[in-house]
Each structure stands twice: as structure tokens, then as C-alpha cells.
Amino acid sequence: MPKISTDPGRHALNGPTMGTRWSARFHADAGLDPAPVQAALQATVAEVDAAMSTWQPDSDLMRLNRAPTGAWVAVPAGLAEVLNLGLRICAASGGAFDIGMGDAVRAWGFGPEEASAEAIRWAMVTTRPPAHEVLEIDRAAGLVRKHAPITLDLNGIAKGYGVDRLAEMLRGFGITGFLVGIDGEMRASGLRPDGMPWTVAVEAPDPERRAPHSVLMLQDAAVATSGDYRHHVTVQGQRLSHTMDPATGGPLRSSPASVTVVTGSCAEADAWATALMVLGPQVGGELAARLSLDALFLMREAGGIRTHAVGALFDSPMVSAAGREGLVRA
């Protein structure tokens, strides 16, 4: 059930979406009625989910997936926007982030169905052209068409976009200082009433417990983390991460424990965190540096967690393996 704090001036709203929960923290005049804000935020994430879910058979994305190759399909503006961004990051990452991996995602059990050995075999031998080569978008007309068979999946970007939409909705109410999030994707605007940035923890990549690895102090920035420790399936006794490798059609076998990206929009941070997971700290770090992305790679080693930071944002000391706290300002 949605929850609303009742402290005067301070509001902490949240509700269900995309199999997890959204949240919004902000301060406003004591006379603000939070109920309309709550309703508007819930409607916003419901709209995103209805457009982009792979769990809802009647979503706009699933309707597009079912459409025949070559047919123009009318889609909502938000879906066209996210598809367009996904194609741009697919191209910029050399295909490391690919929204056309939907068949592999479902085959390995990360969709509504259980993992299927037959579907897995097919996913791993199927040759897929990168999505940016086969998907055409006419944003002015609100139309999309596929030039080759492709199954789209937006799980690596939709939550981030949902966070951006939450931020837009709060600004529509005249609220300019806030922290909003869906699961681990967060976006901060302005400052807290005490003049300090918003505090966001980068989680330690530990599947057994939730604990901070480091702390970000965010102002007018978004952060997203992709990791191998929360969302996984077990196939033939092997624990597999949800991040797909477009080169193999299966889950990543060797990757960082997590990658955190800080940038202007949460949708971009979400997608780039996935892309850099696929590319790894060396290739991904070099690409992040060329694109001026702030990224933090966490790698498991025998002695604990090793960090590889890219960008001026992460120059400040990070949390050590012993738990010493550091602050990073955006």
C-alpha cells in the first residue's frame, strides 16, 4: 500500500511499481496536501510501466514486439523517447547496451517465464544485429518499425526513465528540492532544507546483506547501479546475473561486481551502468573517460573489493573494504 509521512513540511512518499517501489523525499510548505502529489506520482510510474513492461502482455512495448517486421506501429511519446535513447547508447557503447536482447532475457528466466533449456540454446546460437541497426523511429509521428525480427526489452533503462518522470512531476507541483528513486536508481534536485546535498549510498556488492560501500552527496544529478548481486536466477545449480552479454546471448560470466554511473538523467545513468558492466573496467573505463562519464567499478578479488574510478566526481576517497566512509559530491 502507498505510504505518506505526516511530518509537517517533510514528505516521504512511496508506492509500488515495476516489481519494486518508487520513493520521493522532499520538503514543502506545511500546508501542502501530499495526497494529490502521491496520486500523480503513482499515475506517472503506472504510465511508464504500462508502456514499457515486459511483464504486462498488453503493454505498448509488447504490442510492438508482436508486430510484424516492416509494419509501422504507433507508440506513446515516452516509449519512443526511451527507444531512441536506447539506440543512441547501443551505438555509442558498440552494442554493449542492446535493447534487442528480449528473447535472451526471457529464455534465461529473467522475464515472466521460468528458464527454458531449449530457449537458452536458441538464444545462444541466434545472431542478432544490434538494435540500432534494425529499429527505425519516427518520433515526430510517434511511429516505430522493425526492419528485422527483434524482441525488445527495456529493463536496463525503464526504471531510470521512470525516475526522471517522477522528477518532472514534482517540478510540476513547484517542488524543486527532492530525491526520487525506483529501486536503486535515484535522482536528486536542489538541496535539502539545511543547505546540504542529498545523501545516496552506493551499495556494497554483497548478496547476503545490504550495507553501504560509499556515500554520494548529490545535487542536480542522477545515479544508477548495475550489479550481479541482487537480481539473478539459478540454472543447473549455477547462480547467474541478470545482465545479458549481447556477444553470447547469455548472462555475463565475467564482469565487475557492480558499476555505478552518475550523470544528468537517470535513464542515461541506468543504461550506461549496464553497458559498462558488459564492457568491464578496462574497456568500459576507457570508454567512460572518452565520454566524460563518472563511473565507479567494483571488482571482487581475493582480498576484498577493488575499486576503479573514472571521472572527477569519484576522485574523493571512497569507502574502503574496512568500511571507512568517504563522500563524493556531484
Side-chain angles (χ1 to χ4, degrees):
M1 293 293 292
K3 298 179 181 178
I4 303 177
S5 78
T6 56
D7 295 343
R10 179 183 180 276
H11 300 279
L13 314 182
N14 69 83
T17 188
M18 303 183 198
T20 182
R21 297 190 74 81
W22 62 267
S23 64
R25 292 164 46 198
F26 60 91
H27 287 72
D29 294 339
L32 174 74
D33 180 3
V37 182
Q38 171 85 32
L41 295 178
Q42 187 67 56
T44 293
V45 292
E47 179 183 324
V48 174
D49 200 25
M52 304 178 198
S53 175
T54 55
W55 293 75
Q56 298 184 35
D58 58 347
S59 73
D60 294 292
L61 180 67
M62 295 303 288
R63 181 169 52 83
L64 175 60
N65 277 337
R66 289 191 296 269
T69 300
W72 283 107
V73 179
V75 299
L79 178 54
E81 179 183 355
V82 171
L83 290 172
N84 187 64
L85 176 61
L87 297 188
R88 287 200 289 110
I89 295 179
C90 179
S93 66
F97 177 77
D98 195 337
I99 61 174
M101 294 292 294
D103 62 316
V105 171
R106 296 174 79 92
W108 286 92
F110 292 107
E113 299 92 13
E114 296 290 328
S116 162
E118 181 179 354
I120 287 172
R121 286 192 293 270
W122 182 257
M124 296 189 73
V125 300
T126 298
T127 300
R128 302 174 193 80
H132 68 275
E133 294 182 359
V134 299
L135 197 66
E136 182 180 359
I137 303 172
D138 185 339
R139 292 186 64 185
L143 298 172
V144 179
R145 67 175 169 180
K146 302 170 291 187
H147 292 285
I150 187 173
T151 303
L152 299 165
D153 183 284
L154 298 176
N155 286 330
I157 193 172
K159 286 181 182 177
Y161 177 74
V163 172
D164 291 332
R165 289 291 309 278
L166 289 173
E168 292 173 8
M169 183 56 66
L170 282 181
R171 291 196 182 99
F173 280 91
I175 299 167
T176 57
F178 55 78
L179 179 68
V180 293
I182 298 177
D183 207 1
E185 332 307 344
M186 310 291 293
R187 182 164 176 170
S189 176
L191 298 169
R192 302 182 321 200
D194 61 5
M196 294 296 293
W198 297 90
T199 302
V200 176
V202 175
E203 195 173 27
D206 186 342
E208 304 301 325
R209 65 189 183 97
R210 289 186 179 273
H213 170 274
S214 51
V215 177
L216 307 178
M217 301 294 283
L218 292 182
Q219 177 185 352
D220 300 324
V223 59
T225 297
S226 182
D228 67 358
Y229 54 95
R230 285 284 169 251
H231 305 293
H232 61 273
V233 294
T234 300
V235 178
Q236 296 181 345
Q238 186 174 3
R239 184 176 177 276
L240 300 172
S241 167
H242 72 292
T243 303
M244 290 289 122
D245 184 352
T248 66
L252 289 175
R253 297 301 178 98
S254 177
S255 70
S258 71
V259 179
T260 297
V261 173
V262 177
T263 187
S265 85
C266 203
E268 291 181 333
D270 198 4
W272 275 114
T274 299
L276 298 183
M277 274 286 289
V278 173
L279 293 172
Q282 181 173 343
V283 176
E286 292 171 357
L287 177 60
R290 288 199 302 272
L291 297 176
S292 299
L293 291 173
D294 289 296
L296 178 67
F297 297 79
L298 302 185
M299 281 77 63
R300 291 188 183 88
E301 294 187 346
I305 296 297
R306 179 173 65 88
T307 67
H308 176 64
V310 179
L313 175 63
F314 288 106
D315 283 344
S316 299
M318 303 305 294
V319 170
S320 69
R324 177 169 50 83
E325 183 180 278
L327 299 181
V328 180
R329 186 179 303 275

